[in-house]
Amino acid sequence: MAMLLHLTDVNEKAWADGLRAALPGYPVLMRSDGYDPKAIHYIFAWKPAPNAFDGMDNLKAVFSLGAGVDSLMQHPALPDVPIVRFVDDELTQCMSDYVVANVMMHQRLFTRYTAHQKAKIWSQLYPPASSEISVGIMGLGTLGLDAANKLKSIGFDVLGWSRSEKEVEGVDTFAGNDQLDAFLARTDILVCLLPLTPETRGILNMETFKKLRRGPLVGGPVLINAARGGHQKESDIVTALRDGTLAAASLDVFEVEPLPKDSPLWEIETCFITPHIAAISNERSGVKYFARMLLDHEAGKPLRNLVDRARGY
Ligand code: NDP
Ligand code: OXD
């Protein structure tokens, strides 16, 4: 029995040290330690390589370092065992902080003022109050729901769109493809917190942007994507920002990461770019979470926060 860490683009050693301390007596291995794949009962993965699961005939579960499991779900040799994703209050809070900060930045037209400051322009633009601005959140799961409640408490008019119908106090909810257009038609600031699945890939495209409300927000609608780069058609975002279909955007994720140096997005003043940092899985709470998950499962308790393979998230 052992747990193997297979973490790409992450400080694997730091996580291994934490998990070893939290699981005394349970072997926690890194790939560099060398291992017998048949001894691996749990694999803790992020962006697994094509051969990540080779020979793991006795695997009991895959633990996903990320809240999003799209890279796991696309793995050509994903074993047929339960997949546990990361669900964590601190990560949720970080995402809501990111969403609230960006919504307010756009409501107060700060990307416009940044451009004006560069050009030494004194131009007083008065944005409407937050209560006049509608924020439409795509995805009302762990992250979308928390962001919706926080934006509502600030005073924004909040709408939400999900796959299945939901009732959320103070939030107008829409569900399924049939209600997508009605949701977009009432949205000034569109926030994407969807999982990346075949149904949601490319959903942030010109057709979607054209359906957004041209309401009280000065300059037009705004896009905030903190989910996955696969949701967005970047060439459409560039066109939409240039022709005014979108007034501004905040993008934390990209079709290719790191965002290539020759991407035109870098040059667009109304596009606010962050390098996939909206909500990083925190080592301290993550170690506690996955150690508890393993110990509970070994004690016969059910795994929690399982991915539904049929839905893809
Ligand atoms: P959840 O699984 O909890 O929620 C997903 C939501 O999306 C649900 O409300 C679901 O609907 C909805 N949804 C899924 N498919 C569709 C569809 N086809 N049409 C309409 N709604 C749909 O996910 P989380 O909230 O935990 O995370 C969301 C995503 O955020 C992650 O998958 C990840 O990609 C991204 N993320 C990004 C981070 C970053 O740093 N940039 C950090 C963490 C996560 P229903 O409720 O009906 O099932
Ligand atoms: C995640 C992420 O999915 O950091 O957790 O993107």
Side-chain angles (χ1 to χ4, degrees):
M1 60 162 197
M3 178 195 221
L4 178 73
L5 274 60
H6 186 123
L7 306 175
T8 308
D9 297 339
V10 171
N11 186 345
E12 193 175 85
K13 169 86 169 62
W15 280 89
D17 289 347
L19 283 162
R20 282 172 183 148
L23 293 168
Y26 197 94
V28 174
L29 304 172
M30 297 199 300
R31 284 166 286 173
S32 53
D33 294 326
Y35 60 92
D36 171 8
K38 292 198 173 13
I40 305 303
H41 287 185
Y42 300 91
I43 181 165
F44 181 37
W46 181 242
K47 300 184 189 166
N51 64 353
F53 307 106
D54 285 2
M56 293 190 184
D57 299 334
N58 299 309
L59 204 60
K60 295 184 183 180
V62 176
F63 293 164
S64 166
L65 170 73
V69 291
D70 43 291
S71 75
L72 270 174
M73 298 307 292
Q74 287 161 30
H75 195 285
L78 183 64
D80 189 13
V81 296
I83 302 165
V84 176
R85 72 188 191 99
F86 192 36
V87 175
D88 175 54
D89 286 350
E90 201 165 319
L91 184 142
T92 303
Q93 170 77 53
C94 280
M95 183 57 88
S96 291
D97 292 347
Y98 173 93
V99 171
V100 168
N102 280 276
V103 165
M104 298 204 68
M105 173 173 81
H106 292 297
Q107 183 238 339
R108 298 306 307 248
L109 310 171
F110 285 170
T111 55
R112 245 66 55 89
Y113 285 119
T114 306
H116 288 184
Q117 183 173 346
K118 252 195 203 158
K120 300 185 182 170
I121 293 171
W122 181 272
S123 169
Q124 294 173 313
L125 306 168
Y126 290 107
S130 47
S131 57
E132 288 178 53
I133 303 293
S134 61
V135 183
I137 302 184
M138 300 178 108
L140 280 179
T142 308
L143 303 180
L145 204 52
D146 192 69
N149 284 322
K150 288 187 170 128
L151 288 164
K152 191 178 63 184
S153 72
I154 292 169
F156 287 96
D157 177 23
V158 183
L159 321 171
W161 181 67
S162 51
R163 206 174 51 90
S164 57
E165 285 182 14
K166 304 233 176 303
E167 267 189 40
V168 185
E169 205 191 324
V171 175
D172 284 347
T173 55
F174 299 78
N177 288 336
D178 291 351
Q179 294 181 14
L180 178 59
D181 286 3
F183 163 80
L184 296 171
R186 280 199 41 208
T187 293
D188 296 315
I189 300 182
L190 183 67
V191 177
C192 180
L193 287 174
L194 289 167
L196 183 61
T197 66
E199 288 75 40
T200 64
R201 182 173 288 281
I203 195 166
L204 303 175
N205 57 42
M206 188 57 103
E207 205 189 321
T208 299
F209 306 149
K210 283 191 170 151
K211 291 176 180 164
L212 291 167
R213 178 163 88 157
R214 296 199 76 84
L217 202 57
V218 177
V222 164
L223 167 69
I224 298 174
N225 184 13
R228 284 290 183 267
H231 290 124
Q232 67 201 21
K233 285 204 178 152
E234 275 161 31
S235 55
D236 283 7
I237 296 178
V238 169
T239 306
L241 287 169
R242 284 183 176 153
D243 74 10
T245 304
L246 289 175
S250 288
L251 305 176
D252 183 56
V253 287
F254 299 91
E255 287 173 12
V256 175
E257 295 181 6
L259 180 63
K261 292 237 187 289
D262 62 357
S263 167
L265 288 169
W266 289 112
E267 308 293 337
I268 301 179
E269 261 167 352
T270 48
C271 187
F272 183 73
I273 289 174
T274 47
H276 199 145
I277 47 71
I280 301 288
S281 296
N282 174 289
E283 229 168 82
R284 193 173 17 84
S285 50
V287 160
K288 264 198 216 156
Y289 173 89
F290 287 108
R292 172 57 40 214
M293 201 64 80
L294 184 150
L295 292 172
D296 282 356
H297 193 234
E298 289 294 293
K301 294 187 194 161
L303 293 166
R304 288 168 287 119
N305 300 321
L306 289 173
V307 173
D308 178 332
R309 283 180 186 245
R311 289 184 325 188
Y313 64 96

